Amino acid sequence: MKICVIGSGFVGLAVGCVLADCSHEVACTDVDHQRVTGLQGGTAALSEPDFDDLIQRNVATGHLLFTTDSREAAAGADIIFIAVGTPATLSGEADLSQLWTAIDQLLPTINHDCLLVIKSTVPVGTASAVRKRLDQSPSASKLISLISNPEFLRVGAAVTDFKHPQRVVLGSTSEAALQKMEALYRSFVEPSIPIYKMGHESAELSKYAANSMLALRISFINEIAELSESLGANIHDVVSVLSSDNRIGPHHLKPGPGFGGSCLLKDVQSLVSQAGEHGRQFGIGEETLKVNERQSDNVITKLSDALGTLSGKRICLFGLTFKAGTDDTRESPSIRIADKLLATGATVTAYDPAYRGEAGIRIGSVIYADDPYTGCENVDAIVITTDWPEFAELDYAEIAQRVTNKLIIDTRNILDPTRITEHGFHYVGKGLPHIT
Ligand code: UDX
């Protein structure tokens, strides 16, 4: 099939690369010339495993090409995926300007039957608004069938998640369009994977509901972790009990500094805002966000409980990315914590294994160190903010020699408290009994 993908971020690239690898003829587009030039040269410049290999292999076979010309890419395409960004505005609504621009550019070029697939995360009702826009163009109206096909890809696992999804969601009012999309997915997903077909609104809401549920679980466990600290319980024990209940399961129940990344926060905010627009309240979503924000405040409280005033203190953050396995710092809890620390007058240094900047360079007012040992030189506390496994493997005897004050706040519970305290550190985990 001839496929066009509008938007070559990590979602669009995952779609494009996997479909090209299945021998479809794929053209991926982006408005960013620099990105397209990089992609044409075989580099995605995203720390996603598999992208560069897949790009190079499929560009070489001629199954995949990159262009800034979306009209040319869409000409004659059987399926056009829209995978542009829908970032949150300051008020929490999704900004759909990239989606509308893409559609307006495509409309004049469509002179053949095709499927238009909305892969971007869009507020409920967007597909119906897109349908209205298509219907204003009488020629395109008859030719284009619309599909809502939300994605559930994790940053750092985009290709795997697209190739091996746990489920596929298709929303449309056209049975023929649904069948065509089902056939496309069935050509590469395992037969046991369910493909759910439904109306546009249900497909759109499913995406927000899924991410809100994940966010809710994280806020839930973070609140239980806070209670554990006050009540003398151990969050590890509590999570073991919860996880072994099949009805609850183990996923997204790791306590931490709050969730980050480009999706969870944005999608919960958007659903809160969508509810408000319909005179409803997504109260549990609002609470999820409040609990999440509080997690970074708690780190500041733990530091000031131990150090007194933070003004003039030096704090080193281990981790800048929003989770391990990516160089993505969007909505990272580390950045939230850094901002709050800087507001107290503290000096903040940071080390992250995936940060690609130069050592000694300031990111905002945070001073970046290119190794953890330099980063924690003369600091009053170390805060572990990202769950990079290598933080557990560092030489804490060496670190103990370098710091001014031996305090570690481990928001991810990745260190072994016994080992750390042997080096004289005061260790404060998340939801754990106090150890000195
Ligand atoms: C998420 C969804 O998982 C994915 O389905 C959706 O398509 C996009 O949003 P992602 O943003 O890649 O994916 O990250 P995820 O692994 O869900 O983690 C999000 C944040 O929550 C990270 O900051 C992570 O560290 C944190 N987290 C995750 C926890 O604090 N505890 C957990 O148990 C899981």
Side-chain angles (χ1 to χ4, degrees):
M1 260 192 268
K2 191 166 179 221
I3 294 184
C4 165
V5 183
I6 312 280
S8 299
F10 94 108
V11 173
L13 282 180
V15 174
C17 288
V18 171
L19 294 178
D21 216 40
C22 296
S23 299
H24 294 290
E25 199 184 319
V26 181
C28 289
T29 78
D30 205 281
V31 288
D32 182 337
H33 286 260
Q34 211 181 333
R35 178 179 291 178
V36 168
T37 307
L39 289 164
Q40 287 166 339
T43 317
L46 288 169
S47 70
E48 280 292 326
D50 308 327
F51 270 166
D52 291 359
D53 276 358
L54 280 170
I55 290 168
Q56 285 156 22
R57 193 164 70 228
N58 288 290
V59 167
T61 58
H63 285 124
L64 183 60
L65 66 84
F66 296 98
T67 174
T68 51
D69 188 342
S70 58
R71 292 181 189 189
E72 185 194 309
D78 301 294
I79 304 183
I80 303 168
F81 284 92
I82 299 205
V84 295
T86 53
T89 61
L90 284 179
S91 54
E93 292 153 30
D95 173 358
L96 297 181
S97 55
Q98 294 180 54
L99 177 102
W100 291 120
T101 305
I103 287 172
D104 288 340
Q105 279 175 354
L106 284 175
L107 274 181
T109 40
I110 304 295
N111 55 11
H112 62 289
D113 280 324
C114 64
L115 297 187
L116 183 64
V117 182
I118 305 177
K119 212 125 228 356
S120 307
T121 300
V122 291
V124 182
T126 301
S128 137
V130 169
R131 185 73 259 172
K132 282 195 189 118
R133 179 78 63 102
L134 299 181
D135 291 345
Q136 285 161 9
S137 159
S139 56
S141 171
K142 289 191 202 72
L143 297 169
I144 301 177
S145 301
L146 194 60
I147 295 268
S148 298
N149 175 214
E151 58 78 21
F152 301 93
L153 314 180
R154 290 163 301 163
V155 170
V159 168
T160 309
D161 285 355
F162 186 69
K163 222 169 159 176
H164 305 285
Q166 295 189 24
R167 77 296 213 193
V168 175
V169 176
L170 302 175
S172 188
T173 50
S174 157
E175 191 50 42
L178 287 169
Q179 278 174 13
K180 197 167 171 187
M181 277 302 280
E182 186 175 18
L184 177 76
Y185 274 103
R186 278 288 170 233
S187 69
F188 65 95
V189 304
E190 293 85 354
S192 59
I193 298 303
I195 296 183
Y196 297 111
K197 291 178 270 179
M198 56 190 75
H200 286 291
E201 290 76 11
S202 305
E204 290 166 333
L205 184 56
S206 300
K207 171 63 194 270
Y208 285 102
N211 272 357
S212 297
M213 174 61 98
L214 295 175
L216 166 65
R217 284 173 73 97
I218 298 168
S219 278
F220 170 82
I221 208 62
N222 281 336
E223 202 154 40
I224 297 290
E226 289 171 345
L227 283 175
S228 298
E229 287 169 10
S230 301
L231 304 176
N234 183 320
I235 192 67
H236 292 314
D237 294 334
V238 179
V239 170
S240 307
V241 174
L242 294 178
S243 303
S244 58
D245 185 326
N246 285 342
R247 296 167 303 174
I248 299 174
H251 305 291
H252 275 59
L253 282 183
K254 275 197 227 109
F259 53 81
S262 59
C263 296
L264 295 194
L265 200 75
K266 165 179 88 84
D267 291 351
V268 181
Q269 279 170 344
S270 173
L271 197 49
V272 166
S273 151
Q274 291 176 56
E277 282 164 23
H278 288 83
R280 297 267 176 184
Q281 211 183 350
F282 180 37
I284 216 160
E286 290 171 27
E287 276 309 312
T288 296
L289 295 172
K290 273 190 220 155
V291 172
N292 198 50
E293 185 64 29
R294 199 170 69 216
Q295 301 316 304
S296 41
D297 295 330
N298 287 352
V299 174
I300 310 300
T301 306
K302 281 176 173 169
L303 283 167
S304 46
D305 283 351
L307 299 173
T309 175
L310 296 180
S311 178
K313 298 285 185 337
R314 289 174 64 88
I315 313 293
C316 177
L317 303 183
F318 278 1
L320 284 169
T321 58
F322 80 94
K323 64 176 186 179
T326 177
D327 62 357
D328 192 339
T329 56
R330 284 177 292 173
E331 302 295 346
S332 173
S334 314
I335 309 287
R336 280 199 288 278
I337 292 166
D339 285 343
K340 287 178 180 171
L341 279 172
L342 290 165
T344 67
T347 300
V348 182
T349 57
Y351 165 73
D352 189 289
Y355 182 71
R356 293 176 185 165
E358 279 177 58
I361 293 286
R362 285 175 184 272
I363 317 152
S365 296
V366 177
I367 304 160
Y368 180 70
D370 71 355
D371 78 82
Y373 302 101
T374 316
C376 62
E377 200 84 59
N378 299 323
V379 298
D380 296 288
I382 295 170
V383 183
I384 300 195
T385 47
T386 308
D387 48 346
W388 288 105
E390 70 182 79
F391 292 151
E393 307 304 323
L394 297 174
D395 181 350
Y396 283 92
E398 166 74 21
I399 289 175
Q401 298 298 315
R402 294 190 178 228
V403 297
T404 300
N405 183 49
K406 294 182 194 165
L407 169 64
I408 294 189
I409 312 282
D410 181 4
T411 71
R412 301 280 191 166
N413 290 346
I414 60 168
L415 302 187
D416 172 358
T418 314
R419 201 185 127 219
I420 292 304
T421 47
E422 275 167 13
H423 297 297
F425 282 100
H426 175 46
Y427 176 86
V428 183
K430 176 100 186 188
L432 302 179
H434 287 292
I435 308 172
T436 38

